Amino acid sequence: MVFKRLMQAMGVGGPSVETVLANPNCRPGGQLEGTITVTGGDHAVDISYVALGLMTRVEVESGDNEYSTNQEFQRQHVTGAFRLEGGQRHDIPFRFDVPWETPVTELYGRHLAGMTMGLRTELEVARAVDSSDLDAVAVHPLPAQERLLEALLRLGFRFARADVERGHIYGVHQTLPFYQEIEFYPAPQYAGAMKQLEVTFIADPRQLQVVLELDKRGGLFTEGRDVFGRFTMDYATLDQTDWAAQLDGWLRQSLQRRGLFG
């Protein structure tokens, strides 16, 4: 009897949890829907709660060191406490809100190299260890994000990789403790002036803030420097702008001002 209680305290023979998403694809500001199934083990237990958490991989700079860590950035409890009998099945339907600033993981049906995103289900059992389940999630760009990325591809930029950096961008209102950088190899017409272009999106329900960072090439007697630009895309007037022309003009002007573009 003592051994059985010890095994129960360690979670052996306890409940299991499985989450099935109705659709693993979503957009920032949207929702994920599905069902969590909690199945009882060989003895009755008191469940403290069932919660969902959206997680991504984040790059962290600390002094001279840099490391990656998994970070939960949106959490939602889907139940309170309840009693689960041995062998009992308990189905919990849910709707999970996806933050507007959630990083994008897909583009034109392809996964963005360097990105990870998952929905973690946590089941907390009173006086025992918790059980968890992790499901991959695919985050597709908003129409405004698609429009800008399309413009870059039309100009000849090529996607390199993407990552998520912990921190805040100066002068930009953020609600999450990190931001995504989508990196592109330069288009041929800019290749002599820059090494790469990094794009960051900060979305909210009405507009999209776009931050561009040009990693400039250094010359024989000059150091390479980064150039930042920032502008806003209003969802209501999205179709009134030729974004490829807008980007081309901004890039040429920024580089010409610094004598890097003829």
Side-chain angles (χ1 to χ4, degrees):
M1 180 62 70
V2 173
F3 179 73
K4 184 176 181 180
R5 288 176 181 170
L6 177 62
M7 295 292 282
Q8 290 179 6
M10 294 173 61
V12 177
S16 62
V17 59
E18 180 181 10
T19 299
V20 177
L21 292 168
N23 186 348
N25 299 282
C26 66
R27 292 182 190 266
Q31 289 185 324
L32 290 165
E33 299 184 12
T35 302
I36 301 168
T37 299
V38 183
T39 305
D42 57 15
H43 55 275
V45 293
D46 291 314
I47 306 296
S48 299
Y49 63 82
V50 178
L52 292 166
L54 196 56
M55 304 180 68
T56 191
R57 196 77 173 161
V58 176
E59 302 291 330
V60 182
E61 288 189 12
S62 178
D64 295 331
N65 299 318
E66 184 173 315
Y67 62 93
S68 299
T69 184
N70 291 324
Q71 179 160 352
E72 181 182 274
F73 60 95
Q74 175 80 336
R75 187 174 178 83
Q76 187 173 310
H77 278 237
V78 294
T79 73
F82 64 95
R83 179 78 170 176
L84 185 71
E85 300 298 329
Q88 179 186 359
R89 171 174 168 157
H90 188 57
D91 291 329
I92 309 161
F94 67 85
R95 287 184 177 179
F96 184 90
D97 295 324
V98 178
W100 281 95
E101 293 176 24
T102 298
V104 173
T105 67
E106 316 294 316
L107 184 60
Y108 302 119
R110 291 181 54 192
H111 181 75
L112 295 185
M115 291 304 305
T116 60
M117 189 71 59
L119 187 67
R120 180 174 181 260
T121 307
E122 182 181 283
L123 181 147
E124 181 75 16
V125 181
R127 299 178 301 279
V129 298
D130 71 328
S131 299
S132 63
D133 181 37
L134 185 65
D135 296 270
V137 171
V139 185
H140 298 263
L142 293 164
Q145 294 170 326
E146 279 184 344
R147 193 66 57 85
L148 191 87
L149 295 170
E150 284 174 2
L152 287 170
L153 295 176
R154 280 171 53 198
L155 288 173
F157 285 86
R158 293 176 297 115
F159 172 74
R161 65 183 302 275
D163 65 6
V164 178
E165 303 278 345
R166 181 176 290 176
H168 289 79
I169 300 173
Y170 178 77
V172 177
H173 175 70
Q174 289 175 239
T175 61
L176 296 181
F178 54 70
Y179 55 91
Q180 182 180 33
E181 288 184 337
I182 304 177
E183 301 175 8
F184 290 87
Y185 297 116
Q189 63 268 35
Y190 310 112
M194 71 172 77
K195 291 189 291 186
Q196 67 179 20
L197 175 68
E198 296 179 350
V199 181
T200 294
F201 297 123
I202 306 294
D204 66 33
R206 295 175 303 280
Q207 62 186 18
L208 178 70
Q209 294 181 80
V210 182
V211 180
L212 301 178
E213 180 180 352
L214 282 65
D215 187 357
K216 293 162 47 181
R217 291 191 181 279
L220 182 61
F221 302 106
T222 60
E223 293 183 1
R225 303 187 307 278
D226 293 339
V227 179
F228 290 86
R230 186 172 74 238
F231 58 90
T232 299
M233 301 174 72
D234 192 296
Y235 302 149
T237 59
L238 194 60
D239 296 331
Q240 299 175 14
T241 302
D242 182 340
W243 292 105
Q246 186 95 342
L247 280 170
D248 183 57
W250 183 87
L251 290 169
R252 288 174 183 273
Q253 187 179 54
S254 296
L255 294 170
Q256 284 170 350
R257 278 201 306 263
R258 292 157 180 84
L260 295 169
F261 200 78

